[in-house]
Amino acid sequence: MKEILKKKTEKKSKITAEVVLKKLEAMKKERKEWEPMWNKAAEMCAINSNLFSKDEKGRHKQNVFDSTARNALTCFAASMKSVIVPTTSRWHRLKAVDPKLDDNEEVKKYLERATDLLFRCRYSAKSNFASESDLLFNQLGVYGHALWMVDDDIGNGIVYKTIPVNEAYIKRNDKGCLDTVIREYELSAQDAFEKFGDKVSNEIKRALSDTPQRMFKFIHAVFEKENYDIGKKDKGGMKYASVHLEVLGKRIVQESGYRSNPYMAPRFLGIAGSSYGDSPALQAFYDMLTANEMAKTILRTGQLQANPPILTNMGLIDTNKLGSAGAVIRGGLDNQGKPQAVSMQYGNNLAITVEMQREVRASIERAFLVPLFQSLTQSKQMTATEVEKREMEKSMLLAPMAERIASEWLTGNIERELDILTNYGMLEGVPDELMYEGSIAIEFESPSVRMQDANSIMGLYKTVEAAITLSQTNPQVLDIFDMENALRKIADYHGVESDIVRTKDDVMMLKYRSSIENAQALMGVASNPLLGAMKGLK
């Protein structure tokens, strides 16, 4: 019976090229309905513009006449990055799940050291985190989702990459978590042989000598395995399967695994029942098409009004010079001195058309949240209270997107980083309390999160200010505050490191030492009455 169950388990866990190709076929059907809108949205945002393509007669054709969406996308990507993963400040830290360990000095120092190490690796010269995250936010703005990979490049450390949307197919499970990622990519015959060796097909081997730069298609599939042995150190103990498949030969050329999922697929807005997401470009899709047609119409109308067609009679006239500045046109006047050629007049109201275009452009910018990000810079004079209210409004509007992106991207990103660094042995020395009594949690501190927490901190400041004002008439009102805990809360909000703020035990020790010194001073005065009398005279 045990042998039968073992055989069934082995058969169930076996990965074949047919299984991978069937997964890919099903995922292609789901993505197919989105592709036409993605292509047109990308064209309007000038990501994959057909500006320099040619028609069947070899003439260059231009399809994009309005740059509103492109400018709005640039503002959106830069602003979203500045409020979620700002390069100039730390946007997360590690904390213990168990709140009892918050005051444990050894645990706090270890977690701060681990956080420092994460940011050091993340923003190293070879990691590409900063540049690739720019591409990620651009893809979120156009397609509503993006695919992010955290790879372990042996010898270079952790490397980050935003995968092009056209290469990737994704699938989420019933819980909404990323379940399967399949990428279609190309390698030259030479690169394929260097990466996979003799496992490639004979077609690739023959191309090595004749056409080594000939491109071949491959598939990389990553998905969670149904069963694995966590005690094993080889691919059998990996939670996620990794399969590279050669399309031409329909054969698996490499099979390995990952302990943690190397892919994250954040969405700007989720769509029920779909693995993909909604985006600002899709929300403004028809406005972008309208603005483009209006720009085309305005351009043509302006050209016609600036250089209109010339109306002439059937008489003799030097038409070759019509429209040339300073030209002498023979036959341009009749016997009575009336012009033989006049410009064609148009009754178009260009001002109304421009006003309509302005409204459509404003709608596009609203979809990309441009007015929201520029709300503080566009107002010339605002009081501190008005600035605070604007920040609170911004945090409320950005919260859903920021929380979703943090959940679907940054949480998995940090977990993957911790897994790689742990495997490198760079996170050793875990305190016993953290090892046996708790686990590590991720606390985000990006500007979008800070804006949500700012209300409580501002409330603390205002309450203390009011208490100080009232203390001028009744000093005892300050007794309501635990000033030490208030300062600790403020320091924690502003991210002050633990080696600067004294622990509660250190503060108690200082108080105890101060009380001892005061007692000794009083005892010294009491033992010398003459000295006490002299101090009393003073």
Side-chain angles (χ1 to χ4, degrees):
M1 185 69 180
K2 291 182 179 179
E3 292 180 356
I4 294 175
L5 291 175
K6 184 177 180 181
K7 288 182 179 179
K8 286 185 177 181
T9 303
E10 290 177 352
K11 185 177 180 180
K12 188 176 181 180
S13 61
K14 186 174 179 59
I15 301 172
T16 63
E18 289 74 16
V19 171
V20 176
L21 291 173
K22 284 182 179 179
K23 284 178 177 285
L24 176 60
E25 190 64 28
M27 294 165 73
K28 280 187 174 183
K29 288 182 180 179
E30 181 183 0
R31 203 189 80 170
K32 188 175 182 180
E33 60 178 310
W34 295 96
E35 292 175 359
M37 293 186 69
W38 287 348
N39 291 334
K40 195 62 180 180
E43 183 183 12
M44 292 296 101
C45 294
I47 301 297
N48 299 320
S49 176
N50 292 324
L51 184 62
F52 298 106
S53 59
K54 295 182 179 180
D55 58 15
E56 61 278 0
K57 295 182 179 180
R59 298 173 299 185
H60 289 282
K61 60 181 181 178
Q62 180 177 343
N63 295 326
V64 181
F65 296 86
D66 186 81
S67 61
T68 305
R70 177 55 178 156
N71 296 333
L73 176 63
T74 301
C75 178
F76 168 84
S79 302
M80 289 295 288
K81 181 178 179 180
S82 67
V83 299
I84 296 179
V85 286
T87 307
T88 56
S89 62
R90 295 196 174 186
W91 38 268
H92 80 85
R93 60 176 162 175
L94 302 179
K95 293 190 70 175
V97 174
D98 190 350
K100 294 185 296 184
L101 299 178
D102 288 345
D103 296 328
N104 188 302
E105 189 66 18
E106 186 178 0
V107 171
K108 289 179 68 176
K109 288 185 176 180
Y110 173 80
L111 293 177
E112 285 179 2
R113 182 176 68 84
T115 304
D116 291 340
L117 183 60
L118 285 174
F119 276 93
R120 195 179 307 163
C121 294
R122 192 177 295 142
Y123 290 101
S124 63
K126 297 181 180 180
S127 71
N128 299 327
F129 182 90
S131 59
E132 292 295 320
S133 59
D134 291 335
L135 299 177
L136 179 137
F137 284 109
N138 272 279
Q139 289 192 1
L140 284 177
V142 178
Y143 308 106
H145 79 283
L147 187 63
W148 179 263
M149 184 178 189
V150 183
D151 201 7
D152 179 9
D153 187 4
I154 298 175
N156 294 319
I158 302 176
V159 178
Y160 307 86
K161 182 176 178 58
T162 297
I163 307 300
V165 167
N166 62 322
E167 290 185 6
Y169 301 85
I170 63 176
K171 181 179 180 299
R172 302 180 189 273
N173 57 25
D174 55 354
K175 297 179 181 178
C177 300
L178 188 63
D179 178 75
T180 304
V181 174
I182 298 182
R183 287 177 55 201
E184 288 184 318
Y185 65 99
E186 290 187 341
L187 289 176
S188 66
Q190 182 176 351
D191 292 338
F193 187 78
E194 290 178 357
K195 184 173 184 177
F196 304 119
D198 289 332
K199 292 185 178 180
V200 298
S201 64
N202 293 329
E203 183 72 18
I204 294 179
K205 293 177 182 178
R206 285 193 294 267
L208 284 174
S209 56
D210 300 332
T211 54
Q213 297 305 315
R214 178 184 168 187
M215 304 303 291
F216 292 88
K217 289 185 177 181
F218 290 86
I219 291 172
H220 182 211
V222 175
F223 50 90
E224 188 172 353
K225 294 193 290 189
E226 296 179 357
N227 52 75
Y228 62 97
D229 188 352
I230 195 172
K232 293 184 178 180
K233 294 184 178 181
D234 58 4
K235 66 179 182 180
M238 302 295 184
K239 183 178 180 180
Y240 294 90
S242 173
V243 178
H244 287 269
L245 175 71
E246 181 192 332
V247 176
L248 182 64
K250 293 184 179 181
R251 56 196 297 170
I252 294 177
V253 292
Q254 187 181 84
E255 185 177 353
S256 57
Y258 296 98
R259 293 178 302 275
S260 54
N261 196 342
Y263 288 109
M264 298 95 224
R267 292 173 291 178
F268 177 73
L269 289 175
I271 299 177
S274 175
S275 297
Y276 302 98
D278 197 1
S279 70
L282 295 181
Q283 292 175 10
F285 184 76
Y286 299 106
D287 284 329
M288 290 191 301
L289 297 181
T290 301
N292 193 59
E293 288 300 318
M294 294 177 76
K296 189 190 303 183
T297 301
I298 291 173
L299 179 62
R300 289 173 176 171
T301 304
Q303 288 176 332
L304 288 173
Q305 291 188 357
N307 187 19
I310 305 299
L311 304 178
T312 65
N313 60 13
M314 298 300 293
L316 297 176
I317 188 172
D318 193 356
T319 56
N320 293 329
K321 295 184 178 181
L322 288 176
S324 301
V328 177
I329 302 176
R330 296 180 179 180
L333 297 175
D334 59 11
N335 295 331
Q336 298 178 357
K338 295 181 180 181
Q340 294 281 70
V342 295
S343 60
M344 186 174 180
Q345 299 299 317
Y346 290 88
N348 307 72
N349 192 339
L350 192 59
I352 295 179
T353 308
V354 172
E355 181 63 27
M356 293 172 60
Q357 184 190 41
R358 188 178 296 114
E359 293 179 1
V360 175
R361 286 177 169 177
S363 178
I364 296 172
E365 291 180 345
R366 285 195 297 271
F368 282 93
L369 308 178
V370 174
L372 176 64
F373 292 121
Q374 294 180 346
S375 59
L376 296 180
T377 59
Q378 290 179 344
S379 300
K380 296 181 180 180
Q381 293 182 347
M382 286 192 298
T383 64
T385 304
E386 290 174 337
V387 172
E388 180 186 343
K389 289 182 178 179
R390 288 286 181 88
E391 290 291 340
M392 288 301 300
E393 291 174 358
K394 184 186 295 186
S395 66
M396 293 173 63
L397 292 172
L398 287 177
M401 286 76 75
E403 290 172 357
R404 182 179 297 103
I405 293 172
S407 174
E408 297 181 346
W409 174 35
L410 298 179
T411 300
N413 180 86
I414 296 170
E415 290 175 352
R416 173 68 175 156
E417 292 169 332
L418 290 172
D419 176 59
I420 295 174
L421 293 177
T422 300
N423 190 49
Y424 284 167
M426 300 178 68
L427 293 176
E428 295 180 350
V430 182
D432 294 337
E433 296 87 348
L434 189 62
M435 179 73 75
Y436 300 109
E437 298 181 14
S439 57
I440 296 177
I442 302 168
E443 185 176 84
F444 292 103
E445 296 180 320
S446 61
S448 62
V449 177
R450 286 183 177 275
M451 285 188 288
Q452 298 177 55
D453 296 337
N455 193 29
S456 61
I457 296 297
M458 291 301 298
L460 176 60
Y461 277 119
K462 289 181 178 180
T463 306
V464 172
E465 289 175 0
I468 292 174
T469 303
L470 294 174
S471 67
Q472 296 177 3
T473 57
N474 182 10
Q476 294 181 349
V477 298
L478 293 176
D479 294 340
I480 193 175
F481 289 105
D482 185 344
M483 290 298 183
E484 289 185 8
N485 284 332
L487 285 174
R488 290 183 189 280
K489 186 174 182 179
I490 293 173
D492 187 65
Y493 171 77
H494 290 291
V496 180
E497 296 183 0
S498 61
D499 57 351
I500 297 176
V501 180
R502 288 193 175 99
T503 64
K504 292 182 179 181
D505 293 338
D506 291 340
V507 173
M508 290 181 62
M509 184 62 67
L510 285 174
K511 290 181 179 179
Y512 177 74
R513 188 183 306 166
S514 178
S515 63
I516 293 296
E517 292 175 353
N518 291 335
Q520 290 176 348
L522 290 173
M523 290 177 64
V525 171
S527 61
N528 191 339
L530 180 60
L531 181 60
M534 292 176 64
K535 288 188 175 183
L537 291 174
K538 291 181 180 180

